[in-house]
PDB file of all heavy atoms in Angstrom:
ATOM      1  N   ARG A 192       8.202   6.090   5.848  1.00 97.00           N
ATOM      2  CA  ARG A 192       7.305   5.028   6.319  1.00 97.00           C
ATOM      3  C   ARG A 192       7.715   3.656   5.757  1.00 97.00           C
ATOM      4  O   ARG A 192       7.828   2.684   6.481  1.00 97.00           O
ATOM      5  CB  ARG A 192       5.857   5.353   5.923  1.00 97.00           C
ATOM      6  CG  ARG A 192       4.845   4.311   6.339  1.00 97.00           C
ATOM      7  CD  ARG A 192       3.456   4.682   5.826  1.00 97.00           C
ATOM      8  NE  ARG A 192       2.484   3.716   6.177  1.00 97.00           N
ATOM      9  CZ  ARG A 192       1.571   3.871   7.126  1.00 97.00           C
ATOM     10  NH1 ARG A 192       1.526   4.982   7.837  1.00 97.00           N
ATOM     11  NH2 ARG A 192       0.700   2.920   7.385  1.00 97.00           N
ATOM     12  N   THR A 193       7.935   3.615   4.441  1.00 96.00           N
ATOM     13  CA  THR A 193       8.245   2.354   3.778  1.00 96.00           C
ATOM     14  C   THR A 193       9.537   1.730   4.348  1.00 96.00           C
ATOM     15  O   THR A 193       9.562   0.553   4.706  1.00 96.00           O
ATOM     16  CB  THR A 193       8.370   2.541   2.286  1.00 96.00           C
ATOM     17  OG1 THR A 193       7.125   3.031   1.768  1.00 96.00           O
ATOM     18  CG2 THR A 193       8.713   1.251   1.572  1.00 96.00           C
ATOM     19  N   ARG A 194      10.593   2.494   4.402  1.00 96.00           N
ATOM     20  CA  ARG A 194      11.869   1.973   4.908  1.00 96.00           C
ATOM     21  C   ARG A 194      11.735   1.465   6.345  1.00 96.00           C
ATOM     22  O   ARG A 194      12.305   0.450   6.689  1.00 96.00           O
ATOM     23  CB  ARG A 194      12.952   3.024   4.828  1.00 96.00           C
ATOM     24  CG  ARG A 194      13.402   3.324   3.425  1.00 96.00           C
ATOM     25  CD  ARG A 194      14.478   4.363   3.400  1.00 96.00           C
ATOM     26  NE  ARG A 194      14.739   4.787   2.018  1.00 96.00           N
ATOM     27  CZ  ARG A 194      15.621   5.724   1.726  1.00 96.00           C
ATOM     28  NH1 ARG A 194      16.327   6.334   2.660  1.00 96.00           N
ATOM     29  NH2 ARG A 194      15.807   6.056   0.458  1.00 96.00           N
ATOM     30  N   THR A 195      11.018   2.204   7.161  1.00 97.00           N
ATOM     31  CA  THR A 195      10.876   1.833   8.553  1.00 97.00           C
ATOM     32  C   THR A 195      10.062   0.572   8.703  1.00 97.00           C
ATOM     33  O   THR A 195      10.512  -0.426   9.303  1.00 97.00           O
ATOM     34  CB  THR A 195      10.227   2.979   9.351  1.00 97.00           C
ATOM     35  OG1 THR A 195      11.027   4.142   9.236  1.00 97.00           O
ATOM     36  CG2 THR A 195      10.053   2.609  10.820  1.00 97.00           C
ATOM     37  N   LEU A 196       8.839   0.550   8.146  1.00 98.00           N
ATOM     38  CA  LEU A 196       7.957  -0.573   8.354  1.00 98.00           C
ATOM     39  C   LEU A 196       8.421  -1.830   7.590  1.00 98.00           C
ATOM     40  O   LEU A 196       8.345  -2.936   8.129  1.00 98.00           O
ATOM     41  CB  LEU A 196       6.531  -0.209   7.924  1.00 98.00           C
ATOM     42  CG  LEU A 196       5.872   0.897   8.759  1.00 98.00           C
ATOM     43  CD1 LEU A 196       4.478   1.247   8.224  1.00 98.00           C
ATOM     44  CD2 LEU A 196       5.809   0.503  10.239  1.00 98.00           C
ATOM     45  N   LEU A 197       8.914  -1.653   6.371  1.00 97.00           N
ATOM     46  CA  LEU A 197       9.399  -2.806   5.640  1.00 97.00           C
ATOM     47  C   LEU A 197      10.612  -3.397   6.330  1.00 97.00           C
ATOM     48  O   LEU A 197      10.760  -4.604   6.476  1.00 97.00           O
ATOM     49  CB  LEU A 197       9.733  -2.406   4.200  1.00 97.00           C
ATOM     50  CG  LEU A 197       9.943  -3.530   3.207  1.00 97.00           C
ATOM     51  CD1 LEU A 197       9.475  -3.089   1.823  1.00 97.00           C
ATOM     52  CD2 LEU A 197      11.377  -3.962   3.143  1.00 97.00           C
ATOM     53  N   GLY A 198      11.485  -2.533   6.827  1.00 97.00           N
ATOM     54  CA  GLY A 198      12.694  -2.997   7.515  1.00 97.00           C
ATOM     55  C   GLY A 198      12.403  -3.743   8.811  1.00 97.00           C
ATOM     56  O   GLY A 198      13.217  -4.567   9.238  1.00 97.00           O
ATOM     57  N   GLU A 199      11.264  -3.489   9.440  1.00 98.00           N
ATOM     58  CA  GLU A 199      10.884  -4.153  10.678  1.00 98.00           C
ATOM     59  C   GLU A 199      10.090  -5.443  10.437  1.00 98.00           C
ATOM     60  O   GLU A 199       9.778  -6.134  11.347  1.00 98.00           O
ATOM     61  CB  GLU A 199      10.050  -3.186  11.549  1.00 98.00           C
ATOM     62  CG  GLU A 199      10.820  -2.019  12.070  1.00 98.00           C
ATOM     63  CD  GLU A 199       9.949  -0.999  12.765  1.00 98.00           C
ATOM     64  OE1 GLU A 199       8.701  -1.119  12.706  1.00 98.00           O
ATOM     65  OE2 GLU A 199      10.512  -0.090  13.407  1.00 98.00           O
ATOM     66  N   ALA A 200       9.763  -5.728   9.179  1.00 98.00           N
ATOM     67  CA  ALA A 200       8.906  -6.859   8.863  1.00 98.00           C
ATOM     68  C   ALA A 200       9.641  -8.188   9.046  1.00 98.00           C
ATOM     69  O   ALA A 200      10.822  -8.289   8.796  1.00 98.00           O
ATOM     70  CB  ALA A 200       8.382  -6.723   7.436  1.00 98.00           C
ATOM     71  N   ASP A 201       8.857  -9.192   9.413  1.00 98.00           N
ATOM     72  CA  ASP A 201       9.343 -10.570   9.401  1.00 98.00           C
ATOM     73  C   ASP A 201       9.138 -11.205   8.028  1.00 98.00           C
ATOM     74  O   ASP A 201       9.926 -12.028   7.598  1.00 98.00           O
ATOM     75  CB  ASP A 201       8.585 -11.415  10.440  1.00 98.00           C
ATOM     76  CG  ASP A 201       8.820 -10.938  11.856  1.00 98.00           C
ATOM     77  OD1 ASP A 201       9.997 -10.796  12.260  1.00 98.00           O
ATOM     78  OD2 ASP A 201       7.814 -10.669  12.565  1.00 98.00           O
ATOM     79  N   ILE A 202       8.058 -10.800   7.369  1.00 98.00           N
ATOM     80  CA  ILE A 202       7.724 -11.311   6.023  1.00 98.00           C
ATOM     81  C   ILE A 202       7.158 -10.143   5.237  1.00 98.00           C
ATOM     82  O   ILE A 202       6.394  -9.325   5.769  1.00 98.00           O
ATOM     83  CB  ILE A 202       6.662 -12.431   6.130  1.00 98.00           C
ATOM     84  CG1 ILE A 202       7.205 -13.622   6.918  1.00 98.00           C
ATOM     85  CG2 ILE A 202       6.220 -12.881   4.744  1.00 98.00           C
ATOM     86  CD1 ILE A 202       6.185 -14.694   7.257  1.00 98.00           C
ATOM     87  N   VAL A 203       7.501 -10.076   3.968  1.00 98.00           N
ATOM     88  CA  VAL A 203       6.995  -9.041   3.068  1.00 98.00           C
ATOM     89  C   VAL A 203       6.192  -9.727   1.969  1.00 98.00           C
ATOM     90  O   VAL A 203       6.674 -10.658   1.321  1.00 98.00           O
ATOM     91  CB  VAL A 203       8.122  -8.220   2.471  1.00 98.00           C
ATOM     92  CG1 VAL A 203       7.598  -7.203   1.448  1.00 98.00           C
ATOM     93  CG2 VAL A 203       8.938  -7.505   3.583  1.00 98.00           C
ATOM     94  N   ILE A 204       4.954  -9.270   1.766  1.00 98.00           N
ATOM     95  CA  ILE A 204       4.118  -9.736   0.677  1.00 98.00           C
ATOM     96  C   ILE A 204       3.900  -8.570  -0.270  1.00 98.00           C
ATOM     97  O   ILE A 204       3.437  -7.516   0.143  1.00 98.00           O
ATOM     98  CB  ILE A 204       2.769 -10.281   1.179  1.00 98.00           C
ATOM     99  CG1 ILE A 204       2.980 -11.429   2.156  1.00 98.00           C
ATOM    100  CG2 ILE A 204       1.874 -10.711  -0.009  1.00 98.00           C
ATOM    101  CD1 ILE A 204       1.703 -11.950   2.814  1.00 98.00           C
ATOM    102  N   VAL A 205       4.240  -8.777  -1.530  1.00 98.00           N
ATOM    103  CA  VAL A 205       4.104  -7.723  -2.547  1.00 98.00           C
ATOM    104  C   VAL A 205       3.143  -8.203  -3.599  1.00 98.00           C
ATOM    105  O   VAL A 205       3.323  -9.264  -4.218  1.00 98.00           O
ATOM    106  CB  VAL A 205       5.474  -7.378  -3.178  1.00 98.00           C
ATOM    107  CG1 VAL A 205       5.299  -6.279  -4.229  1.00 98.00           C
ATOM    108  CG2 VAL A 205       6.476  -6.932  -2.127  1.00 98.00           C
ATOM    109  N   ARG A 206       2.102  -7.409  -3.838  1.00 97.00           N
ATOM    110  CA  ARG A 206       1.073  -7.748  -4.836  1.00 97.00           C
ATOM    111  C   ARG A 206       1.214  -6.853  -6.043  1.00 97.00           C
ATOM    112  O   ARG A 206       1.246  -5.614  -5.913  1.00 97.00           O
ATOM    113  CB  ARG A 206      -0.311  -7.566  -4.213  1.00 97.00           C
ATOM    114  CG  ARG A 206      -1.423  -7.400  -5.209  1.00 97.00           C
ATOM    115  CD  ARG A 206      -2.201  -8.658  -5.440  1.00 97.00           C
ATOM    116  NE  ARG A 206      -3.352  -8.386  -6.311  1.00 97.00           N
ATOM    117  CZ  ARG A 206      -3.532  -8.991  -7.467  1.00 97.00           C
ATOM    118  NH1 ARG A 206      -2.705  -9.892  -7.874  1.00 97.00           N
ATOM    119  NH2 ARG A 206      -4.591  -8.698  -8.195  1.00 97.00           N
ATOM    120  N   PHE A 207       1.296  -7.470  -7.216  1.00 95.00           N
ATOM    121  CA  PHE A 207       1.285  -6.733  -8.476  1.00 95.00           C
ATOM    122  C   PHE A 207      -0.078  -6.918  -9.094  1.00 95.00           C
ATOM    123  O   PHE A 207      -0.494  -8.049  -9.379  1.00 95.00           O
ATOM    124  CB  PHE A 207       2.371  -7.265  -9.425  1.00 95.00           C
ATOM    125  CG  PHE A 207       3.768  -6.959  -8.949  1.00 95.00           C
ATOM    126  CD1 PHE A 207       4.413  -7.827  -8.093  1.00 95.00           C
ATOM    127  CD2 PHE A 207       4.391  -5.792  -9.342  1.00 95.00           C
ATOM    128  CE1 PHE A 207       5.704  -7.553  -7.648  1.00 95.00           C
ATOM    129  CE2 PHE A 207       5.677  -5.501  -8.892  1.00 95.00           C
ATOM    130  CZ  PHE A 207       6.340  -6.396  -8.049  1.00 95.00           C
ATOM    131  N   GLY A 208      -0.809  -5.829  -9.289  1.00 91.00           N
ATOM    132  CA  GLY A 208      -2.161  -5.908  -9.831  1.00 91.00           C
ATOM    133  C   GLY A 208      -2.167  -5.958 -11.348  1.00 91.00           C
ATOM    134  O   GLY A 208      -1.147  -5.943 -11.998  1.00 91.00           O
ATOM    135  N   GLU A 209      -3.378  -6.034 -11.861  1.00 85.00           N
ATOM    136  CA  GLU A 209      -3.577  -6.204 -13.310  1.00 85.00           C
ATOM    137  C   GLU A 209      -3.518  -4.878 -14.053  1.00 85.00           C
ATOM    138  O   GLU A 209      -3.095  -4.820 -15.199  1.00 85.00           O
ATOM    139  CB  GLU A 209      -4.899  -6.858 -13.556  1.00 85.00           C
ATOM    140  CG  GLU A 209      -5.125  -8.154 -12.782  1.00 85.00           C
ATOM    141  CD  GLU A 209      -4.079  -9.198 -13.053  1.00 85.00           C
ATOM    142  OE1 GLU A 209      -3.665  -9.360 -14.201  1.00 85.00           O
ATOM    143  OE2 GLU A 209      -3.662  -9.854 -12.056  1.00 85.00           O
ATOM    144  N   LYS A 210      -3.975  -3.793 -13.449  1.00 78.00           N
ATOM    145  CA  LYS A 210      -4.302  -2.580 -14.188  1.00 78.00           C
ATOM    146  C   LYS A 210      -3.125  -1.615 -14.406  1.00 78.00           C
ATOM    147  O   LYS A 210      -2.975  -1.083 -15.467  1.00 78.00           O
ATOM    148  CB  LYS A 210      -5.430  -1.870 -13.461  1.00 78.00           C
ATOM    149  CG  LYS A 210      -6.035  -0.736 -14.255  1.00 78.00           C
ATOM    150  CD  LYS A 210      -7.281  -0.181 -13.560  1.00 78.00           C
ATOM    151  CE  LYS A 210      -7.886   0.932 -14.383  1.00 78.00           C
ATOM    152  NZ  LYS A 210      -9.062   1.489 -13.752  1.00 78.00           N
ATOM    153  N   TYR A 211      -2.309  -1.398 -13.392  1.00 71.00           N
ATOM    154  CA  TYR A 211      -1.265  -0.377 -13.501  1.00 71.00           C
ATOM    155  C   TYR A 211       0.114  -0.996 -13.350  1.00 71.00           C
ATOM    156  O   TYR A 211       0.273  -2.029 -12.738  1.00 71.00           O
ATOM    157  CB  TYR A 211      -1.446   0.671 -12.390  1.00 71.00           C
ATOM    158  CG  TYR A 211      -2.775   1.367 -12.455  1.00 71.00           C
ATOM    159  CD1 TYR A 211      -3.805   0.991 -11.584  1.00 71.00           C
ATOM    160  CD2 TYR A 211      -3.016   2.400 -13.349  1.00 71.00           C
ATOM    161  CE1 TYR A 211      -5.044   1.637 -11.624  1.00 71.00           C
ATOM    162  CE2 TYR A 211      -4.246   3.021 -13.407  1.00 71.00           C
ATOM    163  CZ  TYR A 211      -5.258   2.633 -12.526  1.00 71.00           C
ATOM    164  OH  TYR A 211      -6.451   3.253 -12.571  1.00 71.00           O
ATOM    165  N   LYS A 212       1.120  -0.317 -13.882  1.00 73.00           N
ATOM    166  CA  LYS A 212       2.488  -0.734 -13.623  1.00 73.00           C
ATOM    167  C   LYS A 212       2.842  -0.231 -12.228  1.00 73.00           C
ATOM    168  O   LYS A 212       2.771   0.953 -11.972  1.00 73.00           O
ATOM    169  CB  LYS A 212       3.412  -0.121 -14.667  1.00 73.00           C
ATOM    170  CG  LYS A 212       3.150  -0.624 -16.071  1.00 73.00           C
ATOM    171  CD  LYS A 212       4.176  -0.100 -17.040  1.00 73.00           C
ATOM    172  CE  LYS A 212       3.957  -0.412 -18.470  1.00 73.00           C
ATOM    173  NZ  LYS A 212       3.253  -1.573 -18.842  1.00 73.00           N
ATOM    174  N   GLN A 213       3.210  -1.124 -11.375  1.00 84.00           N
ATOM    175  CA  GLN A 213       3.496  -0.746  -9.977  1.00 84.00           C
ATOM    176  C   GLN A 213       4.999  -0.742  -9.730  1.00 84.00           C
ATOM    177  O   GLN A 213       5.554  -1.709  -9.193  1.00 84.00           O
ATOM    178  CB  GLN A 213       2.770  -1.667  -9.003  1.00 84.00           C
ATOM    179  CG  GLN A 213       1.273  -1.434  -8.999  1.00 84.00           C
ATOM    180  CD  GLN A 213       0.516  -2.612  -9.601  1.00 84.00           C
ATOM    181  OE1 GLN A 213       0.876  -3.748  -9.420  1.00 84.00           O
ATOM    182  NE2 GLN A 213      -0.519  -2.300 -10.309  1.00 84.00           N
ATOM    183  N   TRP A 214       5.665   0.319 -10.147  1.00 88.00           N
ATOM    184  CA  TRP A 214       7.117   0.428  -9.951  1.00 88.00           C
ATOM    185  C   TRP A 214       7.453   0.458  -8.473  1.00 88.00           C
ATOM    186  O   TRP A 214       8.484  -0.092  -8.077  1.00 88.00           O
ATOM    187  CB  TRP A 214       7.644   1.668 -10.658  1.00 88.00           C
ATOM    188  CG  TRP A 214       7.263   1.739 -12.118  1.00 88.00           C
ATOM    189  CD1 TRP A 214       6.472   2.701 -12.709  1.00 88.00           C
ATOM    190  CD2 TRP A 214       7.595   0.800 -13.136  1.00 88.00           C
ATOM    191  NE1 TRP A 214       6.329   2.436 -14.051  1.00 88.00           N
ATOM    192  CE2 TRP A 214       6.994   1.257 -14.338  1.00 88.00           C
ATOM    193  CE3 TRP A 214       8.330  -0.364 -13.180  1.00 88.00           C
ATOM    194  CZ2 TRP A 214       7.135   0.603 -15.546  1.00 88.00           C
ATOM    195  CZ3 TRP A 214       8.445  -1.039 -14.387  1.00 88.00           C
ATOM    196  CH2 TRP A 214       7.862  -0.559 -15.541  1.00 88.00           C
ATOM    197  N   ASN A 215       6.583   1.063  -7.667  1.00 91.00           N
ATOM    198  CA  ASN A 215       6.849   1.109  -6.226  1.00 91.00           C
ATOM    199  C   ASN A 215       6.827  -0.287  -5.651  1.00 91.00           C
ATOM    200  O   ASN A 215       7.625  -0.633  -4.747  1.00 91.00           O
ATOM    201  CB  ASN A 215       5.849   2.015  -5.512  1.00 91.00           C
ATOM    202  CG  ASN A 215       4.410   1.579  -5.734  1.00 91.00           C
ATOM    203  OD1 ASN A 215       4.052   1.068  -6.775  1.00 91.00           O
ATOM    204  ND2 ASN A 215       3.586   1.816  -4.736  1.00 91.00           N
ATOM    205  N   ALA A 216       5.968  -1.155  -6.127  1.00 94.00           N
ATOM    206  CA  ALA A 216       5.917  -2.532  -5.624  1.00 94.00           C
ATOM    207  C   ALA A 216       7.189  -3.278  -6.011  1.00 94.00           C
ATOM    208  O   ALA A 216       7.754  -4.016  -5.190  1.00 94.00           O
ATOM    209  CB  ALA A 216       4.681  -3.263  -6.194  1.00 94.00           C
ATOM    210  N   ALA A 217       7.650  -3.061  -7.212  1.00 94.00           N
ATOM    211  CA  ALA A 217       8.897  -3.677  -7.669  1.00 94.00           C
ATOM    212  C   ALA A 217      10.080  -3.189  -6.791  1.00 94.00           C
ATOM    213  O   ALA A 217      10.946  -3.966  -6.404  1.00 94.00           O
ATOM    214  CB  ALA A 217       9.154  -3.429  -9.138  1.00 94.00           C
ATOM    215  N   PHE A 218      10.081  -1.882  -6.499  1.00 94.00           N
ATOM    216  CA  PHE A 218      11.102  -1.325  -5.661  1.00 94.00           C
ATOM    217  C   PHE A 218      11.063  -1.958  -4.280  1.00 94.00           C
ATOM    218  O   PHE A 218      12.101  -2.352  -3.721  1.00 94.00           O
ATOM    219  CB  PHE A 218      10.987   0.188  -5.577  1.00 94.00           C
ATOM    220  CG  PHE A 218      12.092   0.831  -4.794  1.00 94.00           C
ATOM    221  CD1 PHE A 218      13.288   1.146  -5.411  1.00 94.00           C
ATOM    222  CD2 PHE A 218      11.936   1.089  -3.446  1.00 94.00           C
ATOM    223  CE1 PHE A 218      14.321   1.711  -4.683  1.00 94.00           C
ATOM    224  CE2 PHE A 218      12.982   1.665  -2.723  1.00 94.00           C
ATOM    225  CZ  PHE A 218      14.185   1.981  -3.361  1.00 94.00           C
ATOM    226  N   ASP A 219       9.860  -2.072  -3.715  1.00 96.00           N
ATOM    227  CA  ASP A 219       9.735  -2.657  -2.367  1.00 96.00           C
ATOM    228  C   ASP A 219      10.190  -4.117  -2.359  1.00 96.00           C
ATOM    229  O   ASP A 219      10.813  -4.571  -1.417  1.00 96.00           O
ATOM    230  CB  ASP A 219       8.288  -2.575  -1.877  1.00 96.00           C
ATOM    231  CG  ASP A 219       7.867  -1.177  -1.491  1.00 96.00           C
ATOM    232  OD1 ASP A 219       8.723  -0.242  -1.526  1.00 96.00           O
ATOM    233  OD2 ASP A 219       6.672  -1.007  -1.160  1.00 96.00           O
ATOM    234  N   ALA A 220       9.872  -4.874  -3.427  1.00 97.00           N
ATOM    235  CA  ALA A 220      10.322  -6.274  -3.494  1.00 97.00           C
ATOM    236  C   ALA A 220      11.847  -6.317  -3.540  1.00 97.00           C
ATOM    237  O   ALA A 220      12.471  -7.144  -2.846  1.00 97.00           O
ATOM    238  CB  ALA A 220       9.712  -6.916  -4.743  1.00 97.00           C
ATOM    239  N   GLY A 221      12.446  -5.452  -4.317  1.00 96.00           N
ATOM    240  CA  GLY A 221      13.915  -5.404  -4.391  1.00 96.00           C
ATOM    241  C   GLY A 221      14.534  -4.997  -3.075  1.00 96.00           C
ATOM    242  O   GLY A 221      15.576  -5.543  -2.657  1.00 96.00           O
ATOM    243  N   PHE A 222      13.918  -4.030  -2.387  1.00 96.00           N
ATOM    244  CA  PHE A 222      14.394  -3.584  -1.100  1.00 96.00           C
ATOM    245  C   PHE A 222      14.317  -4.731  -0.081  1.00 96.00           C
ATOM    246  O   PHE A 222      15.266  -4.962   0.670  1.00 96.00           O
ATOM    247  CB  PHE A 222      13.549  -2.393  -0.645  1.00 96.00           C
ATOM    248  CG  PHE A 222      14.092  -1.642   0.543  1.00 96.00           C
ATOM    249  CD1 PHE A 222      15.339  -1.064   0.526  1.00 96.00           C
ATOM    250  CD2 PHE A 222      13.328  -1.507   1.686  1.00 96.00           C
ATOM    251  CE1 PHE A 222      15.832  -0.376   1.632  1.00 96.00           C
ATOM    252  CE2 PHE A 222      13.792  -0.812   2.769  1.00 96.00           C
ATOM    253  CZ  PHE A 222      15.059  -0.232   2.748  1.00 96.00           C
TER     254      PHE A 222
END
Side-chain angles (χ1 to χ4, degrees):
R192 179 184 179 106
T193 300
R194 288 180 189 178
T195 301
L196 296 177
L197 194 148
E199 293 173 350
D201 296 307
I202 299 171
V203 176
I204 301 175
V205 179
R206 160 99 173 121
F207 292 88
E209 308 303 319
K210 191 171 180 181
Y211 301 100
K212 295 185 186 330
Q213 288 112 38
W214 306 117
N215 58 328
F218 185 84
D219 288 356
F222 191 59

